[in-house]
Amino acid sequence: MSAFRSVTTFRSVTTVTVSLRRLLIRRPWIQWMLIAIVAFGIAVSVHHRVRQVDLARDSWGTTLPVLMATGPIDVGESLRVEARDIPIAVVPKGAITDAADLVARRRIGEGEIVTRLDVVADRGPQAMTPTGWLAVPVIESPRSGASVGDRVQVASDGFVVSTQALVVDRFDDVTVLAVPADEAPLLPAAADAGSLTLLLEP
């Protein structure tokens, strides 16, 4: 049965092929029309690819000025950058061109292009304090050695009074912490008791 179906299918295909050849012989314009359609499709595809290549080449040929870090920059430090012209195709979104009155919001590596997400206005600890948080000056006992930009937890008398704090400034023996507003009143009381400790997070 399978062999019979195969023979039948072969005969059907052969019949269709012969009929198509006879049609093309009698009406050669159909063949030329099919050739024209195929040629048009190829031409459109080639034009599209050439256009893509042109756009890519143009984007790499056009440059924009950006600021690139000349060395590692820690959180809270002023920017040490130099202006560079680089192809527009590789310029990250939000790249800045002016470093005046700005400090690093996060650690920036050497050679990184500086963007708006990397910096804040240099207005002291408030500049680094997240929205809805408060900056609280405290005196640690003992000192933890935490640096500006470090995330820490705050403990007192064996209890954690803040699970998410951010060091936003240091001067003399004072450490300025940014904490959620509802936790801020707990820190001065713990510091006054002389038992405020910062727990460093990895």
Side-chain angles (χ1 to χ4, degrees):
M1 178 65 77
S2 177
F4 175 76
R5 288 180 178 175
S6 298
V7 171
T8 302
T9 302
F10 175 77
R11 289 178 176 175
S12 299
V13 172
T14 302
T15 301
V16 171
T17 303
V18 171
S19 299
L20 181 59
R21 287 179 178 176
R22 290 176 178 175
L23 178 63
L24 294 178
I25 292 174
R26 294 174 181 174
R27 296 178 176 83
W29 62 269
I30 296 179
Q31 180 177 357
W32 290 111
M33 184 179 68
L34 292 175
I35 294 174
I37 292 174
V38 172
F40 177 77
I42 294 174
V44 170
S45 177
V46 170
H47 176 75
H48 178 68
R49 292 180 180 275
V50 170
R51 178 59 177 167
Q52 287 181 319
V53 171
D54 289 341
L55 290 175
R57 181 184 59 200
D58 292 344
S59 67
W60 279 92
T62 304
T63 61
L64 284 178
V66 299
L67 296 182
M68 188 173 293
T70 57
I73 306 173
D74 285 329
V75 176
E77 289 186 345
S78 298
L79 301 183
R80 298 184 298 278
V81 296
E82 64 180 4
R84 293 276 188 88
D85 289 329
I86 65 173
I88 191 173
V90 296
V91 175
K93 184 177 181 180
I96 65 172
T97 57
D98 186 2
D101 300 323
L102 296 176
V103 295
R105 170 183 284 169
R106 67 171 188 86
R107 288 182 175 84
I108 303 173
E110 181 178 359
E112 284 191 46
I113 297 173
V114 183
T115 71
R116 288 193 300 268
L117 297 178
D118 300 324
V119 298
V120 291
D122 186 7
R123 302 194 314 272
Q126 296 92 332
M128 296 178 58
T129 302
T131 303
W133 290 27
L134 296 175
V136 183
V138 298
I139 296 178
E140 303 175 56
S141 178
R143 291 178 65 97
S144 65
S147 302
V148 173
D150 286 347
R151 293 194 174 273
V152 299
Q153 297 187 27
V154 184
S156 178
D157 290 332
F159 295 95
V160 175
V161 296
S162 177
T163 59
Q164 46 180 347
L166 175 67
V167 181
V168 294
D169 198 8
R170 294 192 75 103
F171 58 91
D172 298 329
D173 292 332
V174 177
T175 302
V176 183
L177 300 175
V179 295
D182 58 343
E183 297 176 353
L186 304 176
L187 272 63
D192 288 343
S195 60
L196 185 144
T197 303
L198 301 186
L199 309 177
L200 302 181
E201 298 184 359

